[in-house]
Amino acid sequence: MTDKIAITPKTHTTPPARFSHGVRKGNILQVAGQVGFLPAEEGRPPTPAGPTLREQTLQTLANVKAILEEGGSGWDDAMMIRVYLTDTGHFAEMNEIYNQYFDEQGLTAPPAARTTVYVGLPAGLLVEIDVLAVLG
């Protein structure tokens, strides 16, 4: 049996509850829901990348990518991406940002994806993304 390894990149804050930013077991890596917080700075509370969906989405994707890389993975290993928006009016803009980002990443094949509306994010946060990756 393989060990379960918790993953928290140095750029991320300590989670506010008993969970990990990512967990790897064998060749499976689950990235917990990430939001658009800027890289952690000691003594500074988590800060959103900006007020816009674009700023927060790009930072969220950077935060997810950092966990994937820390776990020995990358976007090409992503099997499923789940996007949670706080506003149905953001679907078209999210799709535009998402498509442009992944075009720039040069994916060999896009992962399965799902976008839904979720109103439970802390005030000011517009998007959350989690990923399931299978390495190898």
Side-chain angles (χ1 to χ4, degrees):
M1 181 161 298
T2 57
D3 291 334
K4 184 168 68 172
I5 302 164
I7 299 168
T8 299
K10 292 177 182 162
T11 55
H12 288 54
T13 59
T14 301
R18 202 163 160 76
F19 68 87
S20 300
H21 286 290
V23 176
R24 180 174 174 180
K25 184 171 175 94
N27 69 335
I28 297 175
L29 174 58
Q30 176 66 57
V31 177
Q34 299 296 301
V35 295
F37 287 142
L38 293 168
E41 290 184 28
E42 191 172 332
R44 183 175 171 196
T47 306
T52 69
L53 181 65
R54 176 169 292 281
E55 291 167 310
Q56 289 189 26
T57 300
L58 292 175
Q59 184 63 54
T60 300
L61 290 165
N63 293 343
V64 169
K65 185 176 181 182
I67 296 166
L68 289 170
E69 290 175 348
E70 185 85 10
S73 181
W75 286 118
D76 276 324
D77 293 321
M79 298 298 292
M80 181 65 175
I81 297 176
R82 286 176 288 271
V83 178
Y84 305 91
L85 298 173
T86 59
D87 185 336
T88 58
H90 288 156
F91 272 94
E93 184 180 1
M94 167 52 80
N95 286 339
E96 179 185 316
I97 296 164
Y98 182 96
N99 288 338
Q100 180 182 4
Y101 178 84
F102 284 110
D103 283 347
E104 293 169 359
Q105 298 302 305
L107 289 182
T108 57
R114 181 176 195 303
T115 301
T116 190
V117 174
Y118 172 69
V119 295
L121 293 178
L125 293 176
L126 305 173
V127 60
E128 180 177 331
I129 298 174
D130 73 77
V131 172
L132 175 65
V134 178
L135 291 65

